Amino acid sequence: MEETYLLNVEGVKKKILHGGQGELPKLEDGSKITFHFQTLKDDFERTVIDDSREAGIPMEIIVGKMFKMEIWETLLSSMRIGEVAEFWCDAIHTGMYALVSRGMRRIAEGRDPLEGQKHRCGMGNMLDYHSTGYDDLDELQRTPQPLIFIMELFRVEEPSAYKRDTWAMNKEEKLAAVPVLHSEGNRLVLRKEFAQAAAKYQEAVICLRNLQAKEKPWEEGWLKLESLVTPLVLNYCQCQLELGEYYEVLEHTTELLQKHKDNAKAYFKRAKAHAAVWNEQKAREDFLQVAHLDPSMAAAVKKELKQLGERMRKKHVEDRKRYQGLFRPPQGP
């Protein structure tokens, strides 16, 4: 089908490439829309900028959650399930595309889409975005231009029909989800399912960090959220110790101690991670700091130091034997 439609929106044209089925879905706040998309430049070559099929995962947006590309909700609301359509959008609708694409690319690369953002006013954050980290997106950001979106609509789900991801929740829903995730993580730890437990703790931390980003650091609201984050991070680190991810424990505990220098549990977990990777001196320093901050943990520290000493002596003996073997003169025939 090659007929072009106007959607009663200035600067938008639609061309249906493959007809869909049924009536137009009803969209309401909280509805989840699942679709594939391709973004093209409006040039002679129709240069491809992004293609969700390359990532292998369809795009999902939640209606009413202030997705930066507001025009996408309008485009998708004109489609039937199974429909494939091409939309031409003037530059008045595409100015935010570079930032949207940047976030989606980072997610596809397994990176934090908010990496590099700072707690600043809107104008300050605009200055932080002087470069997206991608040359083609920097060009779009400098010179907004018309873009072509080819979309295939798969499904529209009502808010009650699916389990909402935490990122799609509002503040109250996220706060309510945190203790549930914490409890689920604890239950999984009792079953020694440490990887699954770590994922629950991590999801709860992400909820709280998202809320913290809207608070001013070190003020009352931020501190209340931080008090909830700290035990979750410690539980996450304990799971990583059990899983042998010692360098990740070092990273997270060090970050925690930069803000909470008197947290004995963080020192204890970092000490155990140092010991596991043979950082004897740093492990001893952290263990002694634990005993200083929390005398009730002195017995546990004494036990850990004894085990550390035995492991290091054993390692030195093994190393000495290995080096002697390396430098022993060869035997004659």
Side-chain angles (χ1 to χ4, degrees), residues 98-139:
L99 298 186
V100 172
S101 176
R102 173 185 184 269
M104 292 187 294
R105 291 184 186 187
R106 285 179 176 273
I107 291 171
E109 294 165 4
R111 299 163 65 188
D112 181 358
L114 301 179
E115 180 184 320
Q117 293 191 25
K118 302 176 182 177
H119 186 91
R120 297 173 59 179
C121 65
M123 184 59 70
N125 275 325
M126 285 179 67
L127 295 175
D128 287 337
Y129 287 130
H130 65 280
S131 175
T132 63
Y134 304 93
D135 292 341
D136 58 338
L137 299 183
D138 286 344
E139 178 192 347

Side-chain angles (χ1 to χ4, degrees), residues 108-261:
E109 294 165 4
R111 299 163 65 188
D112 181 358
L114 301 179
E115 180 184 320
Q117 293 191 25
K118 302 176 182 177
H119 186 91
R120 297 173 59 179
C121 65
M123 184 59 70
N125 275 325
M126 285 179 67
L127 295 175
D128 287 337
Y129 287 130
H130 65 280
S131 175
T132 63
Y134 304 93
D135 292 341
D136 58 338
L137 299 183
D138 286 344
E139 178 192 347
L140 288 180
Q141 189 165 250
R142 286 191 300 268
T143 312
Q145 54 193 269
L147 295 175
I148 297 168
F149 303 110
I150 300 176
M151 296 178 162
E152 179 180 3
L153 179 61
F154 292 139
R155 59 183 174 273
V156 174
E157 298 170 85
E158 296 178 357
S160 60
Y162 65 94
K163 181 183 177 182
R164 300 178 69 181
D165 295 323
T166 50
W167 64 264
M169 296 178 179
N170 59 33
K171 179 179 179 179
E172 291 72 24
E173 290 169 333
K174 285 178 180 175
L175 286 173
V178 167
V180 175
L181 291 166
H182 198 158
S183 177
E184 289 177 355
N186 293 347
R187 178 176 54 82
L188 289 164
V189 166
L190 291 174
R191 292 163 53 180
K192 299 189 181 301
E193 297 178 15
F194 298 112
Q196 295 88 333
K200 295 294 183 182
Y201 296 137
Q202 186 178 43
E203 188 176 356
V205 170
I206 290 171
C207 277
L208 295 169
R209 292 297 190 207
N210 287 340
L211 295 174
Q212 269 190 318
K214 299 174 184 177
E215 302 285 346
K216 193 169 183 179
W218 301 105
E219 292 198 350
E220 184 180 0
W222 188 94
L223 289 169
K224 283 183 178 179
L225 294 168
E226 185 67 16
S227 69
L228 299 175
V229 168
T230 301
L232 287 163
V233 172
L234 291 172
N235 287 1
Y236 175 82
C237 288
Q238 183 60 42
C239 290
Q240 297 305 319
L241 282 174
E242 298 287 351
L243 295 167
E245 299 291 345
Y246 305 119
Y247 289 102
E248 187 164 357
V249 175
L250 292 175
E251 177 185 349
H252 288 290
T253 50
T254 299
E255 182 181 350
L256 196 63
L257 288 166
Q258 287 172 350
K259 292 183 284 188
H260 309 287
K261 297 180 180 179

Side-chain angles (χ1 to χ4, degrees), residues 19-116:
Q21 302 172 353
E23 300 295 324
L24 288 174
K26 291 183 179 180
L27 301 183
E28 56 182 303
D29 280 2
S31 294
K32 181 163 75 171
I33 308 174
T34 305
F35 60 100
H36 265 308
F37 75 94
Q38 190 178 51
T39 304
L40 315 172
K41 284 187 176 181
D42 185 22
D43 56 15
F44 181 78
E45 296 85 6
R46 289 168 63 95
T47 305
V48 177
I49 300 173
D50 290 306
D51 189 340
S52 63
R53 292 185 184 279
E54 289 187 0
I57 302 173
M59 180 71 180
E60 295 178 348
I61 63 174
I62 307 296
V63 175
K65 290 299 176 184
M66 294 191 298
F67 184 64
K68 289 186 176 69
M69 285 293 293
E70 293 181 18
I71 192 64
W72 276 17
E73 285 188 18
T74 303
L75 306 183
L76 292 161
S77 68
S78 74
M79 299 178 68
R80 292 173 168 80
I81 303 299
E83 180 179 325
V84 181
E86 176 180 306
F87 299 93
W88 178 90
C89 293
D90 200 357
I92 59 173
H93 301 297
T94 63
M96 293 296 292
Y97 185 77
L99 298 186
V100 172
S101 176
R102 173 185 184 269
M104 292 187 294
R105 291 184 186 187
R106 285 179 176 273
I107 291 171
E109 294 165 4
R111 299 163 65 188
D112 181 358
L114 301 179
E115 180 184 320

